[in-house]
Amino acid sequence: MSTLAVPGAQPAVLAAGALIWREKHGTVQVLLVHRPRYDDWSIPKGKLEAKETFPAAAVREVGEETGYRVRLHRPLPASVYLLPDGRSKIVQYWTAAVRSRIGPGPKNPKEIDETRWVQISEAEQLLTRQTDRVTLTALSEQLAEDTARTRPIIIQRHAAAVSRSKWRDGEKSRPLNSKGKKQAKALPPMIDAFAPDSVVSSPWKRCRATIQPYARLSGLDISTKESLTEAGHASEPSRTAAVVERVLREARPTILCTHRPVLPTVIDTVREFASREAALELPRSDPYLSAGEALIVHAVPGGRIVAVERHQPRIE
């Protein structure tokens, strides 16, 4: 996600958060936090740190404010508003589910002194800011459509690689360059925010090197598919499409790493499963994704894609 810079304007404040929900006793509950400094109730959120992506920041901030480690599901509408000093603040939100308890509660009681699970009707009354109530309404609409709990399929273009003209030992072994190595190192927190539990990749070196840091962090094996290589795709693109279709139909949280020349077939296959609104968000022209960029498509059981987002690891 990117923000537009206005000449002479102060940089926008970037923040991220998540509206965590669960079903309990036959009703949906959401988790809100109380900020003593403002004496208000809000959705957990916080500012991005240096070189941090929106998804990674959302998971980190939720953990610090609530003591819960979460998995992000589909995005919610971003909030954009002016701060008293004239700067704009952009907050990206997701729906989220608890993965585990990582602490007894808020990390800093001076920032957050209470967390509370409440039903949506109570949350509507408790939330202080109108922008938070808009976010809550968006979740309610997703729940009504049964599209709030999604499974992420991450289409990952390999990180920046040594140029073809400078590598003489064949495409299979062409490695990442220095920028690409930094991108690969920066990817795990961004990818882990969506917690894929399956890793599928082209076996060529630059793809495996891109996702190896995440696979190692998560203790996952990399399943390689020759049809995701440039050569395999060139000879039998239908096999490439079949691999992608299988991943989508299974709707298992998965990261799939491939090459730029393969992306048209991958994205055309994704488009066949996408809702009309989601299809409009898919890239349509070469290079489709920049080196190291991830396209996250959010699928419901059966493979229908209901939301799309794109993220790039931040290395500077």
Side-chain angles (χ1 to χ4, degrees):
M1 297 182 178
S2 61
T3 57
L4 294 176
V6 178
Q10 297 183 74
V13 175
L14 305 181
L19 186 51
I20 312 160
W21 67 279
R22 69 182 184 186
E23 294 179 272
K24 190 170 185 178
H25 305 310
T27 63
V28 173
Q29 297 178 334
V30 295
L31 186 62
L32 305 183
V33 297
H34 182 261
R35 304 186 298 176
R37 178 182 177 185
Y38 304 101
D39 190 22
D40 68 0
W41 286 91
S42 67
I43 298 169
K45 66 178 181 297
K47 298 175 186 176
L48 272 63
E49 295 181 346
K51 300 182 182 180
E52 191 173 38
T53 61
F54 280 98
V59 171
R60 177 185 56 75
E61 284 289 342
V62 166
E64 291 177 359
E65 294 193 351
T66 69
Y68 288 113
R69 183 185 183 202
V70 298
R71 165 187 271 169
L72 302 183
H73 289 273
R74 63 182 296 186
L76 290 163
S79 291
V80 183
Y81 52 91
L82 285 178
L83 297 172
D85 62 7
R87 291 180 297 168
S88 60
K89 185 170 184 177
I90 302 169
V91 189
Q92 178 62 58
Y93 289 108
W94 285 262
T95 64
V98 172
R99 294 171 68 180
S100 62
R101 170 69 91 167
I102 57 174
K107 184 177 180 180
N108 184 350
K110 292 183 179 180
E111 292 185 1
I112 303 296
D113 62 355
E114 184 181 352
T115 64
R116 187 183 299 178
W117 287 100
V118 297
Q119 294 184 23
I120 287 181
S121 58
E122 183 179 351
E124 290 173 348
Q125 302 300 317
L126 201 57
L127 285 168
T128 303
R129 297 183 65 91
Q130 174 60 27
T131 51
D132 282 352
R133 289 194 287 273
V134 170
T135 304
L136 182 67
T137 298
L139 172 63
S140 298
E141 292 171 352
Q142 292 177 11
L143 289 167
E145 297 167 353
D146 198 22
T147 61
R149 182 179 282 118
T150 54
R151 285 91 178 265
I153 290 92
I154 302 171
I155 309 301
Q156 180 70 54
R157 180 180 168 185
H158 68 70
V162 172
S163 68
R164 296 175 193 269
S165 62
K166 293 181 178 179
W167 188 255
R168 305 299 184 187
D169 293 336
E171 282 298 300
K172 292 183 180 181
S173 62
R174 185 154 62 93
L176 300 181
N177 60 22
S178 59
K179 177 182 178 180
K181 291 176 182 177
K182 292 178 182 177
Q183 289 177 319
K185 185 178 180 180
L187 268 176
M190 184 182 91
I191 299 302
D192 188 58
F194 301 98
D197 57 17
S198 174
V199 182
V200 181
S201 176
S202 158
W204 288 6
K205 185 173 183 178
R206 54 193 180 275
C207 274
R208 288 187 290 107
T210 297
I211 55 174
Q212 186 63 56
Y214 174 73
R216 187 180 298 116
L217 172 73
S218 304
L220 299 172
D221 294 328
I222 299 175
S223 174
T224 58
K225 303 290 183 182
E226 192 66 30
S227 55
L228 294 177
T229 67
E230 294 182 26
H233 172 259
S235 63
E236 291 188 90
S238 61
R239 286 183 176 271
T240 306
V243 169
V244 178
E245 182 175 343
R246 191 177 309 116
V247 168
L248 292 170
R249 288 195 185 281
E250 289 178 354
R252 176 183 177 183
T254 299
I255 179 169
L256 183 152
C257 189
T258 190
H259 309 261
R260 181 192 57 78
V262 185
L263 287 175
T265 295
V266 172
I267 292 172
D268 283 347
T269 306
V270 168
R271 187 171 283 110
E272 293 175 6
F273 285 78
S275 67
R276 182 178 179 182
E277 295 78 8
L280 293 173
E281 299 297 321
L282 292 170
R284 294 180 174 274
S285 59
D286 190 45
Y288 298 94
L289 298 173
S290 58
E293 188 176 13
L295 173 73
I296 298 97
V297 299
H298 295 271
V300 294
R304 185 169 68 96
I305 295 165
V306 296
V308 175
E309 56 185 308
R310 297 166 67 165
H311 297 284
Q312 180 88 14
R314 297 179 66 187
I315 60 175
E316 54 187 28

